[in-house]
Amino acid sequence: MPIELSVLDQSPLLEGHNEQEALAQTIQLAKHVDDLGYKRFWMSEHHSTKSLAGSAPEILVSAVAAHTNQIRVGTGGVLLPHYTPYKVAETFRVLEGLYPERIDLGVGRAPGGMPGVNYALNRGQYPDVQSYPTQVSHLIDYLTGNSPEGYHVKASPLSETTPPVFMLGSSGGSASVAGQLGTGYTFAQFINGDGHPAAIERYYNSFIPSPLMEEPHASVAVFAVVGDTEEEAEFLASSLDYSLLTLAQGKPRHYFPSPEEASQYKYNMYEEEAVRDNRKRMIVGDVESVKQQIEHIAETFNVQEVMVNCIVSPFERRLDSYTKLAKAFNM
């Protein structure tokens, strides 16, 4: 089977742009990849961060679905420990009612920001992440018209179709849970470059069909930088190299710098090692090289779908990156 390409978007603030423009670029990018034939367009949830504008992906889902025609639109993902399963179920039942058979509900359990985010979203309490599997189970029940917590309520509006649920993971810890609950599973290679195919294998081996998914569906999400040449790709990747480094160092990051700015930074030997390590999270090269690397990831992880996150400057090069990949995979 041919590899299916999808998009993960974080609404990044590129140098010279503000938050409103970053959100507008998310809409523009979604329309672009919809026309190119990508399978899905997922948006992430990040809080209290200057360089990523997507703090409420469920709202962006509605906006993107309204501006596109055929691409599946979803979250990558809603950080479920911050919310009640009932409210999330109702939100996505509304989205499914508005855009039938085009909505995906991806969930995760990461905090999605600085430590204070946990308390600000949970009335001063730290979220109970240990209950995450139970939350996902309740979410599925609410989506399918049940009342798992005994409150005798329904997640409305009930309609003929139900959005599929995908669990997102970067450590493999949730892979078995996803399989046992009969959800989809996406491994976040762009977060954990040391990710191992065993996570996907664990998901496949534990999969039990559910009302939402009869067969297992796994994918891998990865950063990608596509250039006309290897040299240009390295130049474009300098922006992401520098941004990931400063994030790990805890330095304020108000935007993703241009490659012109980032390539001027002089790394010390420890920073160079960190950049090399971060490259495990990225695919960098010319079009043919990136295509081969995507194929290698798909084969290594035993998946048919790869989600690509291209953060390069200027924005026109982001659009062009997805165009190049679409042509390379004959989409």
Side-chain angles (χ1 to χ4, degrees):
M1 292 178 61
I3 295 173
E4 296 178 304
L5 291 185
S6 294
V7 177
L8 175 66
D9 180 60
Q10 297 175 294
S11 301
L13 270 72
L14 304 181
E15 183 177 4
H17 295 274
N18 60 33
E19 289 85 350
Q20 284 183 311
E21 291 169 326
L23 294 175
Q25 287 170 356
T26 286
I27 304 295
Q28 186 177 346
L29 177 61
K31 294 167 65 175
H32 182 66
V33 297
D34 184 32
D35 291 339
L36 290 172
Y38 281 77
K39 184 176 183 179
R40 307 179 201 275
F41 189 89
W42 284 4
M43 289 149 284
S44 63
E45 178 177 329
H46 288 87
H47 299 282
S48 191
T49 174
K50 294 285 188 179
S51 59
L52 301 172
S55 60
E58 67 276 14
I59 295 177
L60 283 172
V61 165
S62 186
V64 166
H67 285 86
T68 52
N69 298 310
Q70 60 186 6
I71 195 168
R72 295 194 65 90
V73 184
T75 52
V78 169
L79 304 179
L80 194 56
H82 295 318
Y83 315 109
T84 67
Y86 180 66
K87 179 56 181 175
V88 174
E90 286 207 318
T91 298
F92 279 80
R93 287 237 58 101
V94 169
L95 289 169
E96 182 69 17
L98 290 169
Y99 311 103
E101 298 185 299
R102 288 189 58 209
I103 302 299
D104 293 332
L105 171 49
V107 296
R109 64 178 175 184
M114 300 301 289
V117 166
N118 287 293
Y119 300 104
L121 285 171
N122 293 279
R123 300 181 182 181
Q125 303 294 316
Y126 197 86
D128 181 13
V129 295
Q130 301 303 319
S131 297
Y132 176 63
T134 301
Q135 279 192 300
V136 178
S137 177
H138 288 174
L139 174 62
I140 294 170
D141 280 338
Y142 279 127
L143 285 169
T144 52
N146 299 310
S147 182
E149 297 175 297
Y151 299 134
H152 306 292
V153 296
K154 298 288 185 181
S156 59
L158 292 174
S159 55
E160 294 181 358
T161 60
T162 301
V165 174
F166 297 80
M167 293 182 69
L168 283 63
S170 59
S171 66
S174 58
S176 296
V177 178
Q180 291 163 6
L181 294 178
T183 74
Y185 180 72
T186 298
F187 185 82
Q189 181 81 0
F190 75 103
I191 295 176
N192 178 13
D194 291 317
H196 196 274
I200 301 290
E201 184 179 0
R202 191 179 309 135
Y203 164 69
Y204 287 144
N205 290 338
S206 61
F207 185 83
I208 300 172
S210 73
L212 298 182
M213 199 165 288
E214 295 181 356
E215 300 288 339
H217 185 95
S219 60
V220 176
V222 64
F223 284 122
V225 178
V226 188
D228 289 325
T229 63
E230 293 284 341
E231 292 75 19
E232 184 188 49
E234 287 293 327
F235 175 66
L236 293 172
S238 64
S239 171
L240 193 54
D241 285 335
Y242 180 70
S243 296
L244 293 176
L245 176 68
T246 55
L247 176 65
Q249 293 174 334
K251 296 178 180 178
R253 189 183 71 184
H254 299 283
Y255 58 85
F256 286 82
S258 68
E260 287 79 8
E261 175 187 339
S263 62
Q264 297 304 309
Y265 183 80
K266 303 300 182 184
Y267 297 100
N268 61 42
M269 60 181 294
Y270 302 105
E271 291 173 331
E272 288 177 347
E273 178 61 29
V275 168
R276 284 193 293 271
D277 191 58
N278 278 331
R279 281 297 182 96
K280 299 175 185 177
R281 303 155 62 180
M282 303 162 58
I283 291 174
V284 179
D286 61 22
V287 180
E288 185 57 33
S289 173
V290 170
K291 178 177 184 289
Q292 291 175 0
Q293 292 179 71
I294 289 176
E295 291 172 337
H296 177 70
I297 283 180
E299 181 180 2
T300 301
F301 281 84
N302 190 22
V303 298
Q304 294 299 133
E305 180 179 0
V306 176
M307 305 198 79
V308 182
N309 184 0
C310 296
I311 301 181
V312 295
S313 294
F315 176 65
E316 290 70 25
R317 290 310 301 261
R318 290 191 72 204
L319 298 177
D320 186 56
S321 297
Y322 288 106
T323 301
K324 285 182 167 64
L325 287 177
K327 290 181 179 178
F329 282 90
N330 297 316
M331 294 166 56

